Amino acid sequence: MTEDEWIAGRSHAHLSVSVGLALIMLGLAACGTERGITGREPDQPGIPLAVLTVHVRLQPSDTALASALDWESGVPGAEVNLLRNGTEDWIRLRTDRTGRARAVDLLSGLYLVYAGRILTQAEASAAELPIRSFGDGITTELADRGEQSLEFELSSDVPGSLVISEISGWGPPSWEVGGSYTDHHYFEVYNNSARTLFLDGMVFGATVRGDDNIFGHCAHSQAVRSDSLGVYSLALLQWPGAGGEYPIGPGESRLVAMSAIDHTAVHPELPDLSHADFEIRGARAADNPAVPDMIDVGLRPFVTRLGGAALSDLLAGNVGFFVARPLDPGELPIMYRDFAGQSYQRIPRDLLLDVVGRAQVLADLQRESPPCVPLLHPDFDRYPGGFYTIALGAEDRRLSFQRRVLRSEGGRDILSNSNTSAVDFVLADLTPGVPLWP
């Protein structure tokens, strides 16, 4: 998201309130539920499984937009996605002309739910609007029986300035690359604005993870993940330059590689990153001297090595990533120490240019250890995206987390930035340095 998106009154998904005592007890017992799906008549006989009605509207600040699109009663044609925690089979629905969708025969449990809508060219032309994207999401507990309801108020896209456009996926398994090989990871940033920006001194980092396992505990990190005043990070990378050395023009991207070499020599499914614009200092077994280094400025090295593997948060699921304005890391306060005693600095919201959340689906693990809720405060990202499944199938190994191309303006691509990573990003064949996903 951008500095323009710190607007008071951005509303989020609002849920119906139940007065049933049984459902209240379920809500109190739910692990990590911030905003719950409510139920009515949970003991009603003859309904063995739950029925969920989802109503999707635009947020109140977009009343004029809803009127222009004739969406006052709800958003038609929105895609609603539901996943019961501990499974890998998504339920995908479309809203009717009133903005409602209905799912039946649902088992109780913790559900990942998000809704999104992208205008078609015909809709945009008829309303004399550019193509827009909208999104919102929630992780919540579903009761075991009866009619239940959920309402979303979708956030609309704002182009912003510098945004994260791609983050690499997992890659081939270790036995196909001769061991643990992770030097092929990368991320990419994109100038989504109409003016030239300068990367000099800007910062990239990862947030506190949203895992309830050896990497973290939900209860311990709840306060910092829910903080609206900033995001927390222990590992930061800073772009080199003293000002004016590294411009990025409108519609241009810059690729940052762990190691800026051709990795196809290790495995044909790995990317060629020899054309990278920057390289992560300290990460690589092989150095490309022609590529400038990123500067490691966090409290912990951005990349550590375990045996032959370069480890960083670029490999993690259930984590946020951000880019921030130029800053002095030494002036950032230490605001949090995790369960392992590692220190985190808070990057204040007024310095943040973009924040995205990437989720991971590990059915067996997450059945016992559900993801933390929320991953990020909804001011920063209303719902994480990607839902990358670590799998061994060839269909998953060349995928990356990519931001959608929403429309074109003045000969440049405008990428989707609805402040909802689940809508703005897709999993697609990796394209380091080239935004291609429509």
Side-chain angles (χ1 to χ4, degrees):
M1 69 179 298
T2 74
E3 66 272 29
D4 298 321
E5 292 179 318
W6 313 127
I7 303 172
R10 291 182 67 89
S11 53
H12 313 297
H14 299 288
L15 305 173
S16 307
V17 177
S18 170
V19 297
L21 178 60
L23 186 61
I24 291 175
M25 297 305 296
L26 276 171
L28 292 173
C31 173
T33 299
E34 290 269 303
R35 301 169 291 169
I37 297 176
T38 64
R40 297 185 296 276
E41 302 177 7
D43 297 320
Q44 179 179 347
I47 304 181
L49 298 172
V51 176
L52 174 65
T53 299
V54 180
H55 186 205
V56 179
R57 298 177 295 174
L58 295 188
Q59 58 187 359
S61 59
D62 284 328
T63 300
L65 184 58
S67 177
L69 292 166
D70 195 22
W71 288 359
E72 291 96 333
S73 61
V75 178
E79 183 175 272
V80 179
N81 304 270
L82 300 91
L83 179 70
R84 186 171 181 265
N85 186 62
T87 70
E88 296 179 3
D89 297 321
W90 285 88
I91 299 170
R92 304 193 189 276
L93 309 169
R94 289 281 181 182
T95 56
D96 61 19
R97 65 180 182 276
T98 69
R100 290 176 172 82
R102 185 176 171 87
V104 300
D105 295 339
L106 298 176
L107 296 172
S108 63
L110 191 69
Y111 276 77
L112 289 66
V113 191
Y114 69 93
R117 180 69 152 85
I118 297 177
L119 288 183
T120 66
Q121 182 62 63
E123 289 172 327
S125 297
E128 299 183 343
L129 295 168
I131 294 176
R132 304 291 301 274
S133 60
F134 311 89
D136 197 8
I138 186 176
T139 300
T140 192
E141 193 81 15
L142 183 64
D144 60 352
R145 294 201 310 187
E147 292 276 350
Q148 299 168 65
S149 63
L150 168 65
E151 294 205 0
F152 282 120
E153 293 178 348
L154 304 188
S155 169
S156 57
D157 70 287
V158 177
S161 57
L162 190 72
V163 299
I164 296 167
S165 52
E166 185 172 356
I167 300 174
S168 55
W170 194 252
S174 59
W175 57 84
E176 291 189 15
V177 293
S180 297
Y181 187 83
T182 53
D183 291 333
H184 63 284
H185 286 279
Y186 64 88
F187 69 90
E188 175 190 275
V189 293
Y190 182 86
N191 185 354
N192 217 28
S193 75
R195 61 188 178 90
T196 297
L197 306 173
F198 291 90
L199 294 173
D200 306 49
M202 288 189 181
V203 167
F204 173 89
T207 69
V208 174
R209 293 191 188 184
D211 298 306
D212 200 13
N213 51 37
I214 62 171
F215 298 110
H217 297 308
C218 294
H220 195 282
S221 62
Q222 179 71 27
V224 297
R225 289 182 289 101
S226 303
D227 192 353
S228 65
L229 299 180
V231 298
Y232 293 71
S233 183
L234 54 75
L236 302 171
L237 292 174
Q238 191 163 45
W239 272 273
E245 296 181 45
Y246 295 102
I248 176 171
E252 293 182 352
S253 63
R254 295 292 183 265
L255 176 63
V256 181
M258 293 268 271
S259 186
I261 63 172
D262 183 356
H263 298 274
T264 61
V266 177
H267 193 285
E269 291 183 358
L270 294 177
D272 179 358
L273 301 178
S274 58
H275 62 292
D277 301 288
F278 299 92
E279 194 170 40
I280 299 176
R281 177 179 293 176
R284 57 203 175 276
D287 180 25
N288 186 338
V291 178
D293 285 326
M294 299 287 284
I295 305 168
D296 203 326
V297 296
L299 298 177
R300 186 204 72 186
F302 189 85
V303 177
T304 57
R305 283 198 173 270
L306 180 63
L311 304 179
S312 82
D313 288 312
L314 292 177
L315 285 70
N318 297 321
V319 67
F321 299 97
F322 62 88
V323 288
R325 301 175 188 276
L327 56 83
D328 180 354
E331 296 182 354
L332 296 175
I334 295 175
M335 301 289 290
Y336 169 65
R337 284 185 172 84
D338 66 14
F339 73 102
Q342 297 184 107
S343 297
Y344 288 73
Q345 295 169 293
R346 185 171 70 187
I347 294 80
R349 62 186 297 157
D350 62 332
L351 294 180
L352 294 169
L353 295 172
D354 187 40
V355 183
V356 303
R358 183 175 68 180
Q360 177 177 283
V361 175
L362 292 170
D364 292 338
L365 176 62
Q366 291 177 188
R367 190 176 297 115
E368 301 297 327
S369 300
C372 303
V373 180
L375 176 61
L376 296 159
H377 190 279
D379 279 0
F380 303 131
D381 188 50
R382 295 167 76 99
Y383 209 66
F387 302 107
Y388 189 83
T389 301
I390 293 182
L392 303 180
E395 70 279 1
D396 289 333
R397 304 190 315 192
R398 284 186 56 83
L399 299 181
S400 68
F401 185 52
Q402 298 182 39
R403 195 181 288 265
R404 295 176 185 270
V405 176
L406 189 59
R407 60 182 184 269
S408 294
E409 287 183 7
R412 61 187 175 88
D413 289 330
I414 302 296
L415 307 189
S416 180
N417 194 24
S418 69
N419 195 31
T420 310
S421 294
V423 174
D424 296 331
F425 283 82
V426 295
L427 288 176
D429 287 344
L430 53 86
T431 56
V434 184
L436 289 179
W437 189 259

